[in-house]
């Protein structure tokens, strides 16, 4: 994955898996069993870029498989599942070899898999849908041959995962993210030496823990620390660390980086045959162990029942469930009592196939396979059990009979086995909105298609996303292919849903859900919805969507991921607590003097390079084009700013290149100015042969050419020839040169004469350009930074690293520069698939209309640690106001239409509050705008009362809103104890 195209495709995943991801293209994985769980695991491995994926299944695709097997189309029914899945998976990633095998999983075949001509650095076998005898036989073979072995199984509402990576498995990097770094500020001489440091990437303090091993680099003065073997640290506080004896070292002078070192770990695992009797089960909470041990016995009992009866237990047949319980009693290995209710509940729906459960188990299995290949993160040790048996406690589900759940010959039979046929009809009538068609949105839509959500005559599924498909989306956004790049995500995703399930009534929108689209996504739209699934990636957008769901009392399922971590929150009207605002990210802005003259970390130089990009290739072009269109526009600016803008226009016109050679010469001159002259001037003002930096010059020349509409050239040899002809005068530092250390010092003083001179000269030059036949309109092309544009990243990386070298700051690679400057959130397909599966389990409960809080679950998980925590949401909070109890969901609703059909005034609102609730309003506000204040003078109060409600929004220049959320203060309240009030929602005509 070293080449540029591979990096562009897998960049978000590279941030999760680190250097280990480079092992993926030389790995081989066998996935046996291509129903729901196997399909999810195989799809994730193909999208992630595994070199060779072998699909094994001896069965034929059936109609019922389509309840969870999203790779199958109707035309595949009757064909071998592995062959049919291979065709679909091969389209997902052309860089992966996908092979189908339909024979027996014999030792001869497994040997050939391990010794195939394909040179693999890692071999992994994943079994799904396999009988226990086969699992043990293949598990023993893999353990003996050094093949990493995984079992993943989903039955009804429960899942099982097992890993055996052999007796000597080395984990190269057990933790998430990059190793911790901090900028050194001081190191004392002493025993112990004390290191004072500050964190990186906006962190105010360091993030080290006691016992972390660290190394030092770039330290000036106490150079003995540079390159030393890793030493342990002891944390004193957020800014200080204790290290070893530094008394014999030279005094610390300045700079330096302290970096965490992660040492490889060796782990040993038992084969399945032993681990069955001596299970090590991983749980998020110790109290979950008893339940997991009961499920461990239940899965073995299910295998025994299938061997005995030749089938799985029939849904809702008590005799079958009791027989499984009897078998479990004989197999139970836990020290405590068997949870018989769990075993019987599991058995009663074990014949069911649910897409959300398969998504969770399959995604976790794929992540374990990726651990085996990349040796990144700690493998599962060794069992994990997952269940959503709380769904069986739903009112209505408890009353289901065997007749309700018998197969109908439908694609939904696996779901009907759990929830009954009437529930399937209810699913078809649902009206849902999916906001965001990115990684999570794709997985939600795939699950909805399999579940049959909105697949009935009255159903309606709306997906909206403003974005278009990009190359970097393809490794984790299941519904897109390379042919879809630059197409609207929502349109492509909706078409993919229709292919998976033609009955789903899905509509694609390309809008943002926000104040500007309130006329579209308003009262009529939200009030007909049964639920909303959020797959948004900004806090602002999530907060607005939550406010809409609160306003219209619509259930909301909010999902999010970061790297291997995910979370899902359910917000159910009048039942759960509101989600509330998420913690805002810390302000990552840096002082001007730090960026310009005294950078200390790579973050400083990257931000400087980002500002340089905008100042060279975006703003000058925008100012030139605006001046050519309207030469009077600087009159709207303060004199000092106008002079600055016009001088920039003048420079741009004077520097206009004629051809590519001029662009290369400009880039060379700019390099000289930034990385030689400016540094020399700084050292002269503040006292204390590299190569030609071709990477920087090529990127800068390319962007300069693009901004001036000149075809760029990528020939480095040609550029080198041009550079050899460039002769620059020697730089002489200026005496008395002023370096601005604050933004106030940098402000350009007003100079009316200079402004008049510039305006006169530029107006004349503009007239000459307008009259020229060669002039194009607009004259220049502003270049806006795009994080997935290679040239943009090349320029910023080179500019940042050149500046870092000038200040003895350790440089960083292109990929890390891209992540930092573009603030990219690491992402991987396994996490998004798992979080979407967990969200869809909550959809089942919403469709049933569940009003029992104990049935709902929020989820937090970390696939890097194989930890899954599902917990009951907090109940809706309550408070007292004006003598009565209110829920956090309560709101006052007022149709702001007077008797004559016109919009109400502020006076009408005051009267309505008095008449309806008996409250005398003393202050009325919309956001920060005061609509009425009883403390104002009588004349002002009279004017306030006459105002129409919408006038304040119009005066503030905000998008037209038809629903206003008003806050108020009343005479009747106790201001000291009653800080919370039900909001007043005014619905305008």
């Amino acid at each position: 994955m070293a080449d540029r195209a591979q990096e562009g495709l897998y960049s978000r995943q590279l941030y999760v898996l680190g250097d280990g991801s480079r092992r993926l293209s030389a790995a081989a994985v066998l996935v046996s069993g291509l129903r729901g769980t196997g399909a999810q695991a195989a799809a994730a491995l193909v999208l992630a870029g595994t070199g060779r994926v072998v699909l094994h299944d001896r069965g034929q695709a059936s109609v019922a498989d389509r309840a969870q097997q999203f790779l199958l189309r109707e035309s595949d029914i009757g064909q071998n599942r592995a062959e049919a899945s291979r065709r679909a998976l091969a389209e997902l990633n052309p860089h992966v070899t996908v092979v189908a095998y339909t024979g027996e999983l014999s030792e001869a075949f497994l040997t050939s898999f391990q010794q195939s001509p394909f040179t693999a650095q890692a071999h992994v076998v994943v079994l799904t849908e396999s009988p226990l005898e086969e699992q043990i036989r293949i598990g023993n073979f893999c353990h003996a041959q050094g093949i990493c072995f995984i079992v993943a199984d989903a039955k009804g509402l429960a899942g099982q995962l097992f890993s055996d990576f052999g007796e000597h498995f080395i984990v190269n990097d057990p933790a998430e993210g990059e190793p911790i770094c901090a900028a050194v500020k001081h190191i004392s001489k002493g025993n112990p030496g004390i290191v004072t440091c500050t964190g990186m990437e906006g962190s105010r303090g360091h993030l080290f823990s006691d016992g972390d091993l660290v190394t030092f680099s770039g330290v000036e003065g106490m150079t003995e620390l540079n390159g030393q073997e890793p030493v342990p640290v002891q944390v004193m506080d957020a800014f200080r660390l204790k290290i070893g004896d530094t008394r014999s070292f030279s005094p610390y002078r300045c700079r330096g980086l302290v970096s965490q070192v992660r040492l490889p770990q060796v782990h040993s695992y038992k084969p399945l045959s032993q681990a069955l009797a001596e299970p090590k089960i991983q749980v998020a909470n110790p109290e979950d162990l008893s339940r997991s041990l009961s499920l461990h016995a239940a899965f073995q009992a299910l295998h025994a029942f299938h061997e005995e009866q030749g089938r799985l237990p029939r849904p809702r047949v008590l005799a079958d469930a009791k027989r499984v319980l009897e078998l479990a009693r004989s197999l139970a290995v836990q020290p405590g009592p068997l949870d018989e209710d769990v075993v019987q509940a599991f058995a009663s729906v074990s014949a069911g196939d649910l897409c959300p459960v398969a998504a969770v188990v399959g995604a976790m299995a794929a992540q374990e396979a990726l651990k085996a290949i990349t040796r990144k993160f700690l493998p599962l040790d060794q069992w994990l059990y997952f269940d959503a048996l709380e769904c069986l406690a739903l009112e209505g589900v408890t009353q289901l009979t065997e007749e309700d759940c018998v197969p109908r010959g439908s694609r939904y039979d696996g779901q009907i086995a759990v929830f009954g046929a009437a529930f399937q009809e209810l699913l078809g009538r649902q009206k849902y909105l999916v906001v965001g068609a990115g990684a999570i949105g794709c997985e939600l839509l795939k699950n909805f298609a399999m579940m049959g959500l909105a697949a009935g005559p009255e159903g309606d599924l709306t997906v909206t996303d403003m974005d278009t498909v990009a190359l970097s989306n393809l490794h984790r956004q299941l519904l897109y292919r390379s042919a879809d790049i630059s197409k609207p995500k929502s349109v492509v995703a909706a078409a993919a849903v229709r292919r998976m399930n033609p009955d789903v009534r899905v509509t694609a929108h390309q809008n943002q859900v926000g104040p500007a689209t309130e006329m579209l996504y308003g009262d009529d739209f939200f009030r007909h919805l049964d639920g909303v699934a959020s797959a948004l990636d900004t806090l602002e957008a999530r907060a607005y969507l939550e406010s809409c769901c609160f306003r219209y009392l619509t259930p909301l399922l909010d999902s999010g991921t970061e790297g291997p971590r995910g979370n899902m929150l359910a917000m159910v009207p009048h039942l759960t607590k509101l989600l509330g605002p998420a913690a805002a990210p810390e302000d990552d802005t840096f002082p001007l003097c730090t960026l310009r003259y005294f950078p200390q970390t790579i973050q400083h130089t990257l931000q400087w390079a980002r500002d340089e990009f905008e100042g060279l290739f975006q703003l000058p072009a925008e100012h030139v084009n605006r001046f050519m269109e309207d030469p009077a526009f600087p009159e709207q600016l303060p004199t000092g700013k106008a002079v600055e803008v016009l001088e920039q226009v003048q420079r741009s016109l004077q520097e206009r290149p004629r051809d590519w050679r001029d662009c290369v010469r400009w880039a060379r001159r700019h390099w000289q100015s930034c990385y030689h002259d400016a540094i020399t001037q700084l050292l002269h003002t503040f006292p204390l042969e590299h190569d030609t930096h071709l990477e920087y010059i090529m990127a800068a020349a390319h962007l300069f050419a693009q901004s001036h509409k000149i075809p760029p050239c990528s020939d480095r040899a040609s550029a080198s020839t041009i550079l050899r002809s460039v002769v620059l005068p020697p730089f002489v530092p200026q005496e008395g040169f002023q370096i601005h250390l604050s933004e106030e010092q940098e402000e350009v003083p007003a100079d009316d004469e200079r402004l008049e001179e510039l305006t006169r000269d530029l107006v004349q030059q503009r007239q000459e350009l307008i009259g020229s036949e060669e002039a194009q309109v607009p004259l220049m092309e502003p270049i806006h930074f795009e994080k997935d544009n290679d040239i943009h990243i090349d320029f910023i990386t080179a500019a940042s690293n050149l500046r870092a070298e000038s200040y003895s700051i350790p440089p960083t690679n292109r990929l890390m520069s891209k992540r930092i400057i573009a603030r990219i959130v690491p992402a991987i397909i396994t996490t998004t698939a798992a979080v979407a599966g967990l969200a869809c389990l909550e959809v089942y409960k919403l469709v049933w209309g569940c009003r029992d809080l104990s049935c709902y679950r929020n989820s937090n998980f970390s696939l890097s640690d194989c930890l899954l925590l599902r917990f009951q949401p907090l109940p809706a909070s309550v408070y007292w106001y004006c003598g009565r109890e209110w829920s956090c969901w309560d709101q006052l609703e007022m149709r702001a239409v007077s008797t004559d059909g016109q919009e109400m005034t502020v006076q009408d609102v005051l009267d309505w509050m008095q008449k309806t609730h008996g409250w005398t309003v003393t202050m009325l506000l919309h956001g920060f705008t005061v609509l009425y204040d009883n403390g104002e003078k009588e004349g002002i109060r009279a004017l306030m009362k006459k105002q129409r409600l919408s006038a304040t929004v119009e005066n503030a220049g905000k998008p037209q809103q038809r629903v206003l959320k008003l806050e108020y203060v009343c005479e009747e309240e106790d201001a000291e104890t009653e800080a919370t009030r039900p909001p007043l929602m005014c619905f305008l005509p």
Side-chain angles (χ1 to χ4, degrees), residues 316-373:
R316 307 289 170 173
V317 175
L318 185 60
D320 285 1
K322 286 187 176 296
R323 179 56 185 153
V324 172
L325 177 59
E326 290 172 4
L327 293 167
R329 287 174 181 149
S330 66
L331 294 168
V333 296
Q334 72 263 39
L338 185 73
D339 191 327
E340 298 188 354
D341 290 338
V342 166
V343 175
Q344 278 200 234
F346 163 75
S348 70
V349 293
S350 58
D353 294 318
L354 298 179
C355 178
V357 176
V360 175
V361 178
M364 297 184 81
Q367 185 65 57
E368 290 306 298
L370 293 176
K371 292 177 185 179
I373 297 166

Side-chain angles (χ1 to χ4, degrees), residues 838-879:
L838 293 167
C840 289
L841 286 171
E842 302 310 300
V843 170
Y844 288 137
K845 302 162 189 179
L846 292 173
V847 173
W848 273 108
C850 176
R851 302 305 303 165
D852 183 352
L853 181 66
S854 66
C855 290
Y856 286 96
R857 295 291 184 272
N858 289 342
S859 300
N860 286 327
F861 65 86
S862 171
L863 296 186
S864 61
D865 304 315
C866 231
L867 295 176
L868 171 58
L869 180 63
R870 300 179 72 233
F871 52 95
Q872 180 179 309
L874 292 174
S877 57
V878 296
Y879 59 92

Side-chain angles (χ1 to χ4, degrees), residues 408-421:
R408 264 72 171 170
S410 158
R411 68 178 292 164
Y412 307 116
D413 277 352
Q415 202 160 248
I416 289 171
V418 179
F419 296 115

Side-chain angles (χ1 to χ4, degrees), residues 595-858:
L595 294 181
R596 293 276 180 88
Y597 305 115
F598 308 111
Q600 300 165 9
T601 69
I602 199 67
Q603 282 74 19
H604 295 157
T605 62
L606 281 166
Q607 185 59 53
W608 177 88
R610 175 69 177 83
D611 295 342
E612 181 86 342
F613 182 100
E614 183 178 291
L616 291 175
F617 309 117
Q618 178 187 331
L619 295 179
E622 289 177 346
H623 292 151
V624 167
N625 291 345
R626 191 170 178 190
F627 181 81
M628 294 298 292
E629 184 180 322
D630 177 18
F633 94 88
E635 296 175 5
Q636 306 165 20
L637 305 173
T639 301
K641 183 64 176 176
V643 169
E644 180 185 342
V645 168
L646 289 178
E647 285 181 339
Q648 188 179 66
V649 171
Q650 186 180 57
R651 282 194 303 273
S652 296
L653 295 178
Q654 290 171 346
E655 293 173 340
R656 284 189 72 206
R658 294 164 298 177
D659 52 26
W660 169 248
R661 296 171 63 87
D662 282 350
C663 296
V664 175
R665 294 186 186 103
W666 173 89
R668 176 63 177 84
R669 290 195 301 272
H670 193 73
W671 175 92
Q672 181 80 11
S673 172
C674 284
Y675 303 108
H676 179 271
D677 297 356
I679 300 300
T680 304
Q681 179 66 62
L682 181 69
L683 293 174
H684 179 77
T685 307
F686 295 95
L688 295 174
E689 165 116 298
H690 207 282
D691 59 25
T692 58
H693 301 103
L694 199 56
E695 286 286 345
Y696 175 86
I697 286 175
M698 289 298 294
H702 184 110
L703 292 164
F704 189 67
Q706 183 183 341
S707 68
H708 284 277
K709 300 186 175 182
I710 288 177
C713 174
S714 58
D715 186 346
R716 293 179 174 235
S718 172
S720 297
T721 301
I722 299 170
L723 287 170
R724 282 193 290 271
S725 67
V726 176
V727 178
L728 299 175
F731 175 74
V732 179
Q734 301 176 32
E735 297 295 338
F737 181 84
Q738 184 179 2
I739 290 179
H740 304 295
L741 300 181
S742 69
E743 293 188 31
E744 291 77 14
Q745 291 178 340
E746 195 182 47
E747 289 182 3
V748 179
D751 187 341
D752 293 328
E753 290 184 9
R754 175 63 176 152
L755 178 60
E756 185 179 345
E757 177 189 352
L758 277 169
T759 303
R760 183 175 59 253
D761 292 346
L762 287 171
V763 166
Q764 181 180 348
Q765 194 169 354
R766 174 180 176 272
Q767 288 300 120
E768 294 172 358
L769 285 168
I770 290 175
S772 170
E773 293 182 1
E774 298 178 359
Q776 303 177 48
V777 179
L779 197 63
M780 294 179 66
E781 178 186 340
I783 304 174
H784 295 266
F785 173 72
E786 295 179 9
K787 61 181 178 293
D788 288 317
N789 186 297
D790 287 341
I791 295 295
H792 297 191
I793 296 300
D794 286 345
F795 174 83
I796 284 178
T797 302
S800 169
N801 284 341
L802 288 173
R803 188 164 179 81
E805 289 175 16
S806 299
Y807 287 88
S808 300
I809 297 169
T812 191
N813 61 37
R814 183 180 183 279
L815 194 66
M816 190 53 58
S817 296
K818 178 177 177 177
R819 186 184 73 80
I820 294 171
I821 201 62
R823 299 182 181 180
I824 292 174
V825 176
I828 191 167
I829 177 63
T830 49
T831 315
T832 54
V835 80
L838 293 167
C840 289
L841 286 171
E842 302 310 300
V843 170
Y844 288 137
K845 302 162 189 179
L846 292 173
V847 173
W848 273 108
C850 176
R851 302 305 303 165
D852 183 352
L853 181 66
S854 66
C855 290
Y856 286 96
R857 295 291 184 272
N858 289 342

Side-chain angles (χ1 to χ4, degrees), residues 230-295:
V231 296
V233 298
Q234 183 180 345
V235 175
M236 296 178 67
D237 54 36
F239 296 93
R240 294 184 300 165
L241 304 168
K242 289 182 180 179
I243 57 173
D245 190 349
T246 60
R247 289 175 296 182
S248 62
F249 294 167
S250 306
Y252 172 82
R253 191 163 74 247
C254 62
R255 304 196 183 283
L257 200 67
V258 53
S259 306
Q260 181 190 37
V261 176
R262 296 175 181 165
L263 298 179
Q265 299 180 7
V266 178
H267 293 265
S268 179
Y269 302 95
K270 297 176 183 178
L272 178 63
S273 53
Q274 293 182 34
L276 279 168
E278 305 166 8
K280 291 177 67 176
I281 300 178
Q282 201 156 312
V283 292
N285 284 322
E287 54 266 29
D288 295 335
L289 182 59
S290 175
R291 186 182 187 90
S292 292
L293 284 166
S294 295
L295 286 170

